[in-house]
Amino acid sequence: MPFPGRDKNTRMTYRRALPRTGAVALLLLALVGLWELYRWIWSSAGWTWPFAVDSTSMPHVWTILKAFTQPAQVNQPSLGNILFHKALFTAKESAVGFAIGAVVGFALGVVLAHSRLLQRGFLPYLVASQTVPILAIAPMVVVWVNPKLPGPFQGWGAVAVIASYLTFFPVLINTLRGLHAADARALELMRTYAATRWSVLWKLRVPASLPYVFAALKLAATASVVGAIIGELPSGLQSGLGGAIINFNQYYSIEPQELWATNIVAALVGIFFFVIVVIAEKLAVRRAPETA
């Protein structure tokens, strides 16, 4: 027996999704049009500022897309097939690093939110840790962490740790801010009823911090992909997108479309992680009073 309410909700969902999908498609077409228009104008006029435009610096969009269907080398699978498997490898590193960074950042935020002394003592050092370039830290992490990991985690496990380095800090700061954003009247009411710190944390502070935490997770989701790709460079891994970027960078002058195709795949991995966090946010925060 059909459920009218469910059918109505489905139609409403489709009606809301179609304009958004159309807007994304139009924006994508507009970006492609701007790319080709810029390329045509600069090539026709012979302008060289800010850089000379030719088939090497700015290949045609259709040339980049065609590269996905062609083999990267003779007697090898298509470039799209190769990049798909490399993207899966990098996504695994990013997902583990994202999970580690999110858990560590949230736990540190909870601890520091309950102790002014720890917050004043440790927060400056945590802030200072983010001023060190990731390219300087990545080789040290590989040397220190990789030998201590079990066999199945050798190599990519150290890369996941590097990805977590870029993930934990925004989660920490926004968790700390969100936990302090709870309504003062609600806090006073719970103290009046002699609520424990644990009850106040999970029944009031954590729900109030969810918008802040998910805002940080959106940033951390894409940062984890960047951290994983950077971490693959000193580790010497060739199974991920970082290895592909190094490899195709050597042949950029003769086959630039392969490096551009790799960049597109890396961007798609970051967008995928971002969308997953957005979906989780809608499921977790949609019933919160402030979003009603």
Side-chain angles (χ1 to χ4, degrees):
M1 180 178 178
F3 295 92
R6 182 179 299 178
D7 293 339
K8 182 179 179 180
N9 291 335
T10 302
R11 288 196 299 269
M12 290 295 294
T13 302
Y14 286 148
R15 289 177 182 175
R16 293 175 181 175
L18 285 176
R20 296 177 183 177
T21 305
V24 172
L26 288 175
L27 179 60
L28 183 60
L29 290 175
L31 291 176
V32 172
L34 287 175
W35 176 281
E36 292 296 332
L37 179 63
Y38 181 92
R39 189 184 188 284
W40 176 73
I41 293 176
W42 258 249
S43 299
S44 302
W47 294 338
T48 59
W49 188 91
F51 57 88
V53 175
D54 51 31
S55 298
T56 302
S57 59
M58 286 187 68
H60 287 291
V61 174
W62 52 84
T63 303
I64 299 173
L65 297 180
K66 185 180 179 181
F68 283 100
T69 63
Q70 297 177 341
Q73 295 180 2
V74 180
N75 298 326
Q76 283 196 358
S78 65
L79 179 63
N81 188 18
I82 294 174
L83 292 180
F84 175 75
H85 289 90
K86 290 183 179 293
L88 290 180
F89 188 85
T90 300
K92 176 181 68 174
E93 299 167 335
S94 304
V96 175
F98 175 75
I100 295 173
V103 171
V104 172
F106 183 82
L108 283 175
V110 171
V111 172
L112 296 182
H114 287 84
S115 175
R116 293 279 182 161
L117 179 62
L118 291 177
Q119 185 174 335
R120 293 176 179 176
F122 284 98
L123 194 57
Y125 296 101
L126 294 173
V127 173
S129 70
Q130 299 300 301
T131 63
V132 181
I134 187 65
L135 286 174
I137 296 177
M140 294 185 288
V141 173
V142 172
V143 172
W144 294 340
V145 176
N146 205 40
K148 298 182 173 68
L149 295 174
F153 299 95
Q154 287 282 340
W156 72 269
V159 176
V161 173
I162 297 170
S164 68
Y165 174 80
L166 292 181
T167 303
F168 89 95
F169 187 73
V171 178
L172 162 66
I173 296 300
N174 275 33
T175 299
L176 191 60
R177 182 181 179 187
L179 293 175
H180 286 307
D183 191 350
R185 294 170 298 178
L187 281 171
E188 188 64 29
L189 179 62
M190 295 196 73
R191 289 169 183 161
T192 302
Y193 285 101
T196 63
R197 282 192 173 187
W198 187 258
S199 298
V200 173
L201 174 65
W202 290 108
K203 294 182 178 179
L204 179 60
R205 290 188 181 274
V206 169
S209 69
L210 287 181
Y212 297 89
V213 172
F214 276 106
L217 291 177
K218 293 175 187 176
L219 296 174
T222 54
S224 66
V225 178
V226 175
I229 292 175
I230 294 176
E232 290 173 353
L233 306 183
S235 63
L237 291 175
Q238 296 296 319
S239 301
L241 293 175
I245 290 174
I246 292 178
N247 183 32
F248 295 141
N249 185 54
Q250 299 175 2
Y251 307 101
Y252 182 78
S253 59
I254 57 177
E255 296 290 344
Q257 66 273 9
E258 294 181 349
L259 183 59
W260 280 104
T262 307
N263 294 336
I264 291 176
V265 173
L268 290 176
V269 174
I271 292 172
F272 174 76
F273 273 61
F274 182 87
V275 171
I276 293 297
V277 175
V278 170
I279 294 174
E281 179 185 21
K282 290 184 178 296
L283 294 176
V285 187
R286 63 183 178 182
R287 291 188 178 90
E290 60 269 18
T291 61

